[in-house]
């Protein structure tokens, strides 16, 4: 983690990355993968960070093919833009802000919910930087829909939100609640540390197949997997529109995840070596695959240990190429989840109230927050350094 001050052009980013790699004496020729959030200063074709890194690696090792990936979670979040839900989202956000942004009305609304004895005691604010925010906000407003309508009528403000009495709008609202609920389920599966790329891409492929199923069912006016939408009487009339939205979403997922699709054969080979046909595998791996699939002990071991532990246990002399292929695929980062999580920790600590926080202190805080190493507190206490007696 490096601190950057001033400009953050592709050249600046490259100089910083290059300095770290040189300082840590890492060989550029061993670089396999760079995963980014897709910002222009990183992905620029001519002077972006990725272009400069690719040129540097080619200088060191002309045979090395770098794998550039766009964060899978970020891609999934961007895909929902094709649904064109602004006509639903904007009134909902306006409604939430109307209730929550005014102190008196907010307190009155909470008191109203307490009297009606509902499951939820308040609305949620929408935050664009949070992955699950939009789906959760829409879900909460939908569940409190009847109470919100009653509250608006009580306050004499129902005329300011005509959408809540429009059946077509409510139908679109119900569709948005259901499809974003499905997307949030996918998002949660993609989050977390120590996830291999093939596991993450597996969930994305499954979701793309689900979209095909959803589209086909809604075209036949069947709403089995859209329970909120199924309760709306206008749903069958709008089925064609929802079917088109799902088809557009399917196309956007297929387009955005094309970079993962390119490496899918290699991912399949590493994640499921026992079921791979040696004839379709790269030539240097064919004989090793046959040896692996013919060894009953290794087959049993494959099913009982973690994938990275299994490949680490393979004999270097017997399976050199298979080990190298596994190293390349298992070291890929499918998302920038760890980076985003670290940014959150940094924002929580780097506040205007901590005016004496230096780069070195902040780096130490982030290192402690992200490490898996458990400190030996007993040993540290025995050192006796900087003991402060209470006084």
């Amino acid at each position: 983690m490096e601190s950057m001050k001033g400009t953050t052009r592709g050249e600046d980013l490259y100089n910083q990355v290059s300095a770290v790699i040189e300082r840590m004496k890492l060989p550029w020729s061993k670089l396999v993968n760079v995963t980014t959030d897709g910002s222009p200063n990183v992905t620029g074709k001519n002077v972006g960070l990725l272009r400069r890194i690719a040129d540097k690696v080619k200088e060191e090792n002309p045979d090395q093919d770098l794998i550039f990936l766009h964060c899978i979670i970020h891609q999934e979040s961007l895909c929902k833009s094709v649904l064109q839900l602004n006509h639903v989202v904007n009134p909902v956000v306006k409604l939430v802000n109307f209730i929550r942004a005014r102190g008196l009305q907010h307190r009155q609304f909470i008191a109203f919910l307490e009297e009606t004895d509902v499951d939820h005691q308040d609305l949620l604010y929408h935050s664009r930087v949070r992955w699950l925010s939009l789906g959760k906000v829409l879900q909460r407003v939908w569940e409190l829909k009847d109470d919100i309508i009653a509250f608006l009528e009580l306050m004499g403000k129902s005329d300011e939100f005509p959408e809540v009495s429009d059946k077509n709008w409510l139908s679109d609202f119900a569709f948005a609640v259901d499809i974003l609920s499905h997307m949030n389920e996918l998002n949660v599966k993609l989050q977390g540390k120590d996830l291999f790329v093939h596991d993450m891409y597996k969930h994305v492929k499954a979701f793309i197949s689900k979209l095909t199923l959803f589209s086909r069912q809604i075209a036949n006016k069947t709403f089995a997997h859209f329970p909120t939408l199924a309760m709306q009487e206008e749903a069958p009339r709008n089925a064609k529109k929802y079917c088109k939205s799902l088809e557009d979403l399917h196309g956007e997922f297929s387009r955005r995840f094309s970079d993962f699709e390119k490496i899918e054969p290699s991912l399949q080979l590493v994640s499921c070596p026992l079921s791979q046909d040696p004839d379709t595998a790269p030539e240097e791996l064919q004989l090793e695959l046959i040896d692996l699939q013919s060894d009953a002990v290794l087959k049993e071991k494959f099913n009982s240990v973690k994938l990275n532990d299994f490949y680490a246990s393979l004999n270097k002399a017997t399976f050199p190429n298979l080990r190298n292929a596994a190293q390349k695929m298992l070291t890929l980062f499918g998302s920038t989840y760890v980076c985003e999580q670290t940014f959150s920790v940094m924002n929580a600590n780097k506040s205007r109230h901590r005016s004496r926080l230096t780069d070195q202190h902040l780096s130490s805080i982030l290192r402690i927050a992200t490490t898996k190493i458990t400190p030996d507190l007993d040993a540290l206490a025995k050192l006796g350094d900087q003991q402060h007696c209470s006084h």
Side-chain angles (χ1 to χ4, degrees):
M1 293 173 285
E2 293 293 311
S3 175
M4 294 193 66
K5 298 176 174 65
T7 59
T8 56
R9 300 169 300 172
E11 180 181 4
D12 302 319
L13 295 174
Y14 173 75
N15 290 337
Q16 201 78 12
V17 171
S18 179
V20 172
I21 289 180
E22 298 295 339
R23 186 172 72 243
M24 300 183 72
K25 298 180 180 180
L26 300 173
W28 283 96
S29 58
K30 296 259 184 188
L31 183 61
V32 172
N33 157 245
V34 181
T35 301
T36 72
D37 63 354
S39 57
N41 56 349
V42 172
T43 59
K45 293 182 180 179
N46 298 319
V47 294
L49 173 65
L50 299 188
R51 176 70 183 195
R52 293 171 183 271
I53 288 178
D55 292 341
K56 180 64 176 178
V57 172
K58 284 293 182 183
E59 289 180 13
E60 300 288 330
N61 184 5
D63 298 327
Q64 176 73 304
D65 291 324
L66 273 175
I67 299 175
F68 295 128
L69 299 177
H70 188 162
C71 171
I72 242 178
I73 301 177
H74 192 235
Q75 293 272 60
E76 186 263 353
S77 183
L78 292 174
C79 283
K80 64 172 176 281
S81 61
V82 302
L83 293 172
Q84 298 181 352
L85 297 174
N86 285 341
H87 70 292
V88 171
V89 175
N90 291 341
V92 170
V93 171
K94 178 184 175 183
L95 178 60
V96 172
N97 291 341
F98 172 78
I99 293 175
R100 291 206 55 168
R102 295 167 174 82
L104 176 59
Q105 287 184 180
H106 189 202
R107 292 193 298 273
Q108 290 174 332
F109 181 70
I110 292 175
F112 181 80
L113 292 181
E114 290 176 352
E115 292 175 2
T116 54
D117 194 26
V118 295
D119 293 336
H120 305 296
Q121 300 302 317
D122 202 355
L123 295 173
L124 301 175
Y125 270 130
H126 172 45
S127 173
R128 292 181 181 274
V129 298
R130 295 183 180 273
W131 293 315
L132 307 180
S133 172
L134 182 57
K136 288 187 174 182
V137 170
L138 295 185
Q139 180 73 40
R140 178 67 61 87
V141 173
W142 180 267
E143 292 173 357
L144 294 174
K145 172 172 57 67
D146 295 335
D147 300 284
I148 291 173
I149 293 174
F151 178 75
L152 292 176
E153 292 176 350
L154 182 66
M155 301 293 294
K157 301 291 186 179
S158 56
D159 293 340
E160 297 185 21
F161 300 94
E163 294 88 358
V164 295
S165 58
D166 185 339
K167 292 184 178 179
N168 281 316
W169 184 83
L170 289 174
S171 178
D172 291 347
F173 188 7
F175 171 75
V177 169
D178 285 331
I179 189 59
L180 289 178
S181 175
H182 287 300
M183 294 188 72
N184 279 5
E185 288 179 12
L186 170 63
N187 200 297
V188 170
K189 292 177 182 177
L190 299 177
Q191 293 181 35
K193 299 180 180 179
D194 301 326
L195 291 177
F196 294 123
V197 172
H198 63 267
D199 287 327
M200 302 180 75
Y201 186 57
K202 170 186 68 179
H203 296 308
V204 172
K205 283 186 63 181
F207 186 75
I208 292 175
S209 299
K210 290 176 183 178
L211 288 176
T212 304
L213 174 66
F214 295 159
S215 179
R216 186 168 61 249
Q217 289 182 340
I218 288 184
N220 295 326
K221 299 182 179 180
T222 302
F223 306 99
H225 302 289
F226 287 74
T228 311
L229 182 61
M231 296 186 293
Q232 305 304 304
E233 60 182 43
E234 296 296 321
R237 299 179 188 176
N238 296 323
K240 187 175 181 180
K241 177 174 65 174
Y242 302 144
C243 183
K244 175 67 166 55
S245 295
L246 291 172
E247 290 174 354
D248 292 342
L249 186 60
H250 181 280
E252 186 72 0
F253 263 86
S254 300
R255 181 183 71 82
R256 285 191 175 275
F257 289 100
S258 57
D259 50 352
F260 288 90
E261 187 176 352
K262 293 176 184 176
I263 61 172
E264 185 179 2
S266 299
L267 294 176
Q268 287 282 353
L269 177 64
V270 170
S271 60
C272 305
L274 300 181
S275 60
Q276 293 297 308
D277 183 359
D279 291 336
T280 61
E283 294 180 355
E284 67 273 13
L285 298 178
Q286 290 176 345
L287 298 182
E288 294 181 16
L289 268 180
I290 293 175
D291 290 338
L292 176 64
Q293 294 172 358
S294 302
D295 193 319
V297 175
L298 289 179
K299 290 169 70 174
E300 180 66 25
K301 191 171 188 178
F302 179 82
N303 295 320
S304 59
V305 300
K306 293 182 179 179
L307 196 61
N308 53 332
D309 293 334
F310 169 76
Y311 281 107
S313 68
L314 292 181
N315 187 288
K316 292 182 180 181
T318 308
F319 303 99
N321 296 317
L322 200 56
R323 282 171 56 93
N324 289 337
Q327 282 181 331
K328 186 173 182 179
M329 291 298 108
L330 297 182
T331 53
L332 300 182
F333 278 84
S335 76
T336 57
Y337 178 85
V338 176
C339 297
E340 300 286 353
Q341 194 177 54
T342 306
F343 288 151
S344 297
V345 175
M346 183 183 72
N347 289 332
N349 286 276
K350 190 179 178 182
S351 68
R352 60 188 179 88
H353 300 293
R354 304 188 65 175
S355 57
R356 301 186 65 182
L357 185 67
T358 65
D359 290 344
Q360 184 178 357
H361 289 153
L362 185 59
S363 178
S364 299
I365 290 171
L366 297 181
R367 181 169 186 140
I368 292 172
T370 55
T371 186
K372 291 183 178 179
I373 300 174
T374 303
D376 189 344
L377 298 178
D378 292 335
L380 292 173
K382 289 178 182 178
L383 291 176
D385 295 338
Q386 296 184 359
Q387 288 188 350
H388 300 284
C389 299
S390 60
H391 53 78

